[in-house]
Amino acid sequence: MGYLLIGATALVVSLSATQALAAPNKISGQLVLPSAGKRPSPPERSRGYVQRVPHPLVANKPVENPFPAMFVVLTGGTPDEAGTKPNRRPVDLLLIGHRFERLVYPALVGQMVLLKNVSTKTGNKGVTPRIDAPGHRNVFDSPSDAGNPLNPNGERELAVKEAFVPIELRDRELAHMRTILVGVPHKYFAIPGKNGKFEIANVPAGSWTARVWYDNGWLEGADTVVEVPARGVKNIKLTIPPGMTVKPATGN
C-alpha cells in the first residue's frame, strides 16, 4: 500500500508540473476608437479623377469601421519554436463576390494561404476576378498564376516570404477589389472582431510590445508594452489615436 501511495503522490506531482507547463496564457484585448467626431475617414481604396473631400453634412458622423483594415501583433519578445512553425493545414483568404473578405490580411511567413473564389455562395455567381500582385508576384506558388482568371470555386496557393512588407493583391480591372497581405514572423497576432476585441494565445512570458497595423503600415501612437505572465490572462486596451497616422512599413 505504501508503494502505491508513493506512486500516486509522484503521479499527482508529475501531472501538476505538466499542467503548469502546459497551462495556456493569453492576451485578451480591446481596440478603442476615438469619439465619432474625431474619427478620420478610412483609407482610400481607389480614386477617380477628383480627389475625395469631406461631405459637410456628415463631417461629424461615425465613419466606416476601420477594424477590417487592422490587426494587432506583438513585437520585441522571444517567440518559441511552436510560434514560428507554419500549420500543416492552409489558411483561407476569401473572395466574396466583388470584394475580399478583409481589407488587410495577416499571415505567418511561410504559411500556405489559399486564395478562394467563393462567389457561388453569394448572389454574384458570375464573378471571375484576375488577381495580381504587382511587384510581388513571387507570393504566388506559381508566379504565372498572377493575373489569370480565378473561376468560381477556384483556388490559388500563396505564401508570404517576408515579414511586415505589405503586398497588394488586386484585380487587374476592378480597382476596389483589393486587399493587403502582410507577413508576420510568428503567430502572436490577432484580427479584431467587429467590436474591436481580440485574443492572442500561447504567448511566451516576457516583455512584448503590442502594435496595431492599419492598411499599409504601423499605426502611430497605439503601441503599448505588455508584460506577459507565465500563466493566466493579461487584459489590455489599445486606444486608437484620433489622427490615425500610418508609418509606412518596409520590413521593420
Side-chain angles (χ1 to χ4, degrees):
M1 182 65 67
Y3 287 104
L4 291 176
L5 181 59
I6 293 173
T9 302
L11 179 60
V12 170
V13 172
S14 177
L15 287 176
S16 298
T18 301
Q19 289 172 352
L21 291 174
N25 60 321
K26 66 179 180 181
I27 292 176
S28 180
Q30 170 85 51
L31 294 178
V32 180
L33 291 173
S35 60
K38 296 181 180 179
R39 297 184 198 175
S41 297
E44 293 184 0
R45 314 311 296 178
S46 62
R47 179 182 291 183
Y49 294 104
V50 179
Q51 185 173 354
R52 186 172 62 179
V53 296
H55 194 294
L57 298 181
V58 296
N60 294 317
K61 299 293 181 63
V63 298
E64 178 184 339
N65 189 338
F67 296 148
M70 292 181 175
F71 67 89
V72 181
V73 61
L74 301 181
T75 63
T78 303
D80 57 20
E81 183 179 358
T84 58
K85 186 176 181 180
N87 298 326
R88 292 184 178 181
R89 297 186 62 180
V91 295
D92 295 339
L93 173 54
L94 304 183
L95 274 166
I96 307 173
H98 289 277
R99 64 179 178 85
F100 280 89
E101 179 184 22
R102 288 184 52 81
L103 301 179
V104 170
Y105 191 87
L108 178 66
V109 171
Q111 175 67 53
M112 181 187 292
V113 178
L114 281 183
L115 175 61
K116 292 184 175 182
N117 183 355
V118 296
S119 63
T120 56
K121 298 180 181 179
T122 72
N124 303 290
K125 296 184 178 180
V127 176
T128 305
R130 297 163 59 90
I131 303 302
D132 201 348
H136 297 279
R137 292 191 174 117
N138 65 340
V139 72
F140 287 89
D141 182 62
S142 177
S144 61
D145 287 337
N148 286 336
L150 181 58
N151 296 321
N153 293 325
E155 299 178 351
R156 292 278 191 276
E157 292 185 6
L158 311 175
V160 185
K161 309 293 194 305
E162 300 177 272
F164 304 129
V165 176
I167 298 173
E168 184 186 48
L169 299 176
R170 60 178 173 84
D171 184 84
R172 284 191 169 183
E173 297 178 355
L174 302 177
H176 65 274
M177 188 183 290
R178 66 185 289 269
T179 190
I180 294 177
L181 183 63
V182 185
V184 183
H186 50 63
K187 298 178 182 179
Y188 313 128
F189 63 89
I191 294 172
K194 294 181 180 180
N195 56 3
K197 292 184 177 180
F198 63 90
E199 289 188 350
I200 306 176
N202 302 317
V203 182
S207 182
W208 297 79
T209 298
R211 306 179 72 184
V212 179
W213 182 284
Y214 180 44
D215 198 48
N216 66 346
W218 297 111
L219 187 61
E220 294 188 338
D223 300 1
T224 187
V225 175
V226 183
E227 298 298 333
V228 179
R231 298 181 64 187
V233 179
K234 179 72 173 182
N235 296 302
I236 65 172
K237 285 188 177 182
L238 297 176
T239 301
I240 306 301
M244 294 181 72
T245 303
V246 173
K247 178 183 178 182
T250 55
N252 58 332

